[in-house]
Amino acid sequence: MRAVYRTDLRRPLDPNLAVYGAYWNRGVACNPAAIHAKARELAPHIRGVWVVSSRHRDRMPAGVPYVIEGSRPYWRAMATATYLVNNSSFPGGFTKRPGQRYLQTHHGTPLKTMGLDQRAYPELARKADFAKILAHVGQWDFSLSANPHSTEVWDRVYPGSYQRLDLGYPRNDVYFTATAEDIAKIRAELGIHADQTALLYAPTHRDYREGFAPDLDPERLARELGSQYVVLVRAHYFYGRSAGLEGTPTGRVLDVTSHPRVEELCLAADALITDYSSLAFDYACLDRPIVVHAPDWDTYRTTRGTYFDLLSGRPGDTPGAVTATFDELVEVFRAGEWRSPASAALRTAFRERFCPYDDGHAAERVVRRFFAVPFPPPSR
């Protein structure tokens, strides 16, 4: 296969071929998905092909072209595509050719330490190959940012000669363009009644834990809050396609881990309960309540490291109410603190810091910049 790949590297680049990847070949998702969709609209001459692993090929939507990682079509596409778009990395290693353009979109705003900053944490450093990280960064032509904080972090932890694109996250456009009818349809498909309050519980991965071990009992939370609440549980993708919540007695706890679009889950939710997940930065675009439930904050900061104190209560650092115990979490909802004026003020400052570029047009800006699609002339 490698010999054939070397032969393909001598073929001319296809000026109309783009290869997309997301989350280590898990299918159509995140910023690359939004860019792909907008490119089909603004640059229909660009043929988009997705890289997917064989175990995730069932995630591919009908009609979307794809290649299986490591296959002959995969290596042919990587050798001849002019455009490469990924939010993580392409599999197997590839030779970046002159004339190829690689856009690294990333897949979140960094709260936890990333890249070279992980060298300060022995458990993380032991698992990381920093030479490989730097070699990967050396392939980037563009690095996308959702906010100045991200740009500052990427510059330090991924040093390179790429161009910075401070254009916002295309995956967040839908938070500004979705209609009330769109949201009602998503909620109905999930089985959420119009008079119910939907809470999305989306905790992140812990490097010091094995498997998905939520820091709250979602069934008990639904029971304590009453029938007007429904809890959607979204486990981190590292843990597979299920949160392991089969057969919940109340029927008001939904395992949405396998749902293909986390953006739709955010649109369906009236509030987000999370810990250190970068989803909080995206959800803030909706200007809906965010509750940080973080009983293991000290352990997380010690083992993973963070760039700021999410629990400090300082405007710009904390997006809303903060809880450390289950009883505190229940009381935040019962007492109304989750949507109080104080929580709203924190959310406003958080949005101003972390969502300054997101306005519903990020995908268009990125597509026009990356694929060199000119803006239409101003109307007279």
Side-chain angles (χ1 to χ4, degrees):
M1 193 72 72
R2 286 288 185 175
V4 176
Y5 175 56
R6 287 193 292 270
T7 300
D8 286 339
L9 288 172
R10 293 193 289 271
R11 295 177 179 272
L13 292 177
D14 184 338
N16 297 321
L17 179 60
V19 177
Y20 296 87
Y23 296 120
W24 298 275
N25 323 308
R26 285 178 168 83
V28 180
C30 191
N31 292 312
I35 293 168
H36 177 224
K38 185 58 68 172
R40 293 174 71 176
E41 174 189 335
L42 298 179
H45 60 285
I46 301 293
R47 303 190 321 278
V49 174
W50 282 81
V51 179
V52 65
S53 70
S54 57
R55 68 182 182 278
H56 293 303
R57 67 194 307 168
D58 62 305
R59 294 176 182 263
M60 294 302 298
V64 176
Y66 67 91
V67 293
I68 299 297
E69 64 169 299
S71 67
R72 176 73 184 87
Y74 166 74
W75 287 112
R76 169 67 65 86
M78 292 302 295
T80 59
T82 294
Y83 305 100
L84 307 170
V85 182
N86 210 311
N87 76 354
S88 50
S89 60
F90 289 103
F94 69 96
T95 301
K96 173 85 177 303
R97 298 179 61 184
Q100 286 188 316
R101 292 158 63 88
Y102 187 172
L103 168 61
Q104 173 57 241
T105 74
H106 305 281
H107 52 271
T109 290
L111 167 65
K112 62 187 178 185
T113 55
M114 302 291 290
L116 297 187
D117 280 352
Q118 296 181 34
R119 292 175 297 181
Y121 297 87
E123 187 62 22
L124 298 177
R126 182 180 63 82
K127 301 175 183 178
D129 184 336
F130 295 105
K132 187 175 180 180
I133 289 173
L134 290 175
H136 180 219
V137 173
Q139 298 172 323
W140 302 353
D141 296 291
F142 302 94
S143 172
L144 186 62
S145 271
N147 47 65
H149 164 76
S150 293
T151 303
E152 185 269 326
V153 172
W154 302 149
D155 282 352
R156 184 179 67 253
V157 307
Y158 300 126
S161 59
Y162 52 80
Q163 296 182 44
R164 287 79 178 164
L165 299 184
D166 296 332
L167 301 177
Y169 267 180
R171 71 184 186 187
N172 291 344
D173 284 354
V174 68
Y175 300 139
F176 299 88
T177 60
T179 65
E181 291 75 18
D182 294 332
I183 295 171
K185 182 174 183 291
I186 295 168
R187 286 172 62 96
E189 290 172 348
L190 291 168
I192 303 169
H193 298 155
D195 60 350
Q196 286 184 309
T197 298
L199 308 178
L200 175 59
Y201 174 50
T204 195
H205 166 69
R206 264 85 164 160
D207 298 278
Y208 66 90
R209 288 182 186 170
E210 294 293 332
F212 179 60
D215 283 310
L216 62 86
D217 181 343
E219 180 64 31
R220 183 184 170 198
L221 179 64
R223 189 167 58 249
E224 291 280 352
L225 294 181
S227 60
Q228 72 271 29
Y229 285 87
V230 59
V231 181
L232 314 179
V233 181
R234 176 81 165 189
H236 192 277
Y237 55 85
F238 280 0
Y239 301 125
R241 304 191 189 190
S242 171
L245 304 175
E246 294 82 0
T248 54
T250 65
R252 288 185 288 103
V253 175
L254 307 178
D255 184 348
V256 293
T257 303
S258 64
H259 195 284
R261 293 200 64 196
V262 70
E263 294 85 6
E264 290 190 355
L265 300 178
C266 289
L267 287 169
D270 297 288
L272 173 69
I273 303 172
T274 189
D275 41 28
Y276 326 119
S277 171
S278 65
L279 189 62
F281 301 95
D282 299 340
Y283 193 82
C285 291
L286 287 167
D287 197 19
R288 297 179 189 173
I290 300 171
V291 176
V292 178
H293 182 63
D296 64 338
W297 176 240
D298 290 339
T299 302
Y300 190 82
R301 293 198 83 178
T302 300
T303 58
R304 180 65 203 229
T306 61
Y307 291 121
F308 57 90
D309 188 349
L310 186 70
L311 277 60
S312 68
R314 290 190 298 268
D317 284 359
T318 305
V322 173
T323 64
T325 69
F326 181 83
D327 288 343
E328 289 175 356
L329 180 63
V330 171
E331 185 58 23
V332 157
F333 285 97
R334 284 179 172 170
E337 184 184 350
W338 64 292
R339 53 187 175 187
S340 67
S343 291
L346 286 173
R347 187 170 68 252
T348 295
F350 194 79
R351 292 180 70 222
E352 290 174 350
R353 180 181 180 188
F354 293 112
C355 310
Y357 310 141
D358 289 322
D359 58 2
H361 301 285
E364 179 178 1
R365 289 192 292 268
V366 172
V367 166
R368 292 190 183 281
R369 179 68 180 84
F370 184 61
F371 295 106
V373 178
F375 281 90
S379 58
R380 293 182 178 179

